[in-house]
């Protein structure tokens, strides 16, 4: 009985090329995107449930601020790399004309900045 040859796998295969490294980092930042969603749901639960002062006390802890700063940076990296990937994943044709990748990418980034500015306006405005 013979067994199939299986070459040894390198544990750092993704570190050999820049594209693979960015791909793996983007996949790892999904954990922080999930954390951001959980944190937002915790906030909404505190608002609806009436436990907002306890949530604010928890959110003001230094370790929670540190986690959220890292999560913000990771989420921005995830969003930027995802939006950069969008033109490669989708081909848009208008009346037979292929929309250039820079137009799709620019539109995605512009819309992202616009939505972020609107949200920042409502969150950061003084009462």
């Amino acid at each position: 009985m013979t067994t199939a040859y299986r070459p040894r796998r390198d544990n750092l295969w993704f570190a050999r090329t820049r594209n693979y490294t960015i791909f793996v980092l983007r996949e790892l930042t999904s954990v922080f995107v999930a954390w951001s969603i959980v944190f937002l749901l915790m906030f909404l639960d505190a608002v609806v449930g009436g436990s907002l002062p306890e949530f604010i006390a928890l959110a003001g802890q230094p370790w929670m601020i540190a986690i959220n700063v890292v999560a913000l940076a990771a989420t921005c990296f995830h969003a930027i790399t995802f939006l950069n990937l969008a033109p490669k994943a989708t081909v848009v044709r208008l009346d037979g004309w292929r929309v250039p990748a820079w137009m799709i990418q620019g539109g995605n980034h512009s819309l992202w900045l616009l939505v972020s500015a609107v949200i920042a306006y409502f969150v950061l405005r003084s009462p």
Side-chain angles (χ1 to χ4, degrees):
M1 179 174 198
T2 61
T3 59
Y5 170 72
R6 291 187 175 215
R8 297 181 70 181
R9 183 178 296 174
D10 183 11
N11 289 336
L12 294 175
W13 60 269
F14 58 90
R16 300 201 187 284
T17 62
R18 182 178 180 272
N19 289 339
Y20 288 148
T21 302
I22 290 174
F23 169 76
V24 169
L25 285 176
R26 181 176 54 242
E27 296 304 312
L28 289 175
T29 57
S30 297
V31 174
F32 290 103
V33 173
W35 164 251
S36 299
I37 293 169
V38 167
F39 189 75
L40 180 63
L41 290 174
M42 289 170 53
F43 171 71
L44 291 176
D45 182 57
V47 169
V48 172
S51 60
L52 190 57
E54 292 86 8
F55 178 80
I56 291 173
L58 175 67
Q61 297 291 323
W63 61 272
M64 185 66 87
I65 292 172
I67 288 174
N68 284 327
V69 167
V70 172
L72 176 64
T75 303
C76 286
F77 176 80
H78 189 89
I80 290 169
T81 55
F82 178 79
L83 293 177
N84 288 343
L85 186 63
K88 295 174 184 144
T90 58
V91 176
V92 178
R93 294 190 184 275
L94 296 175
D95 199 22
W97 177 68
R98 182 178 176 167
V99 177
W102 64 269
M103 290 179 86
I104 297 171
Q105 194 173 351
N108 288 340
H109 285 283
S110 298
L111 184 62
W112 180 48
L113 290 175
L114 178 68
V115 170
S116 297
V118 169
I119 291 172
Y121 171 75
F122 285 110
V123 170
L124 299 176
R125 71 180 176 171
S126 52

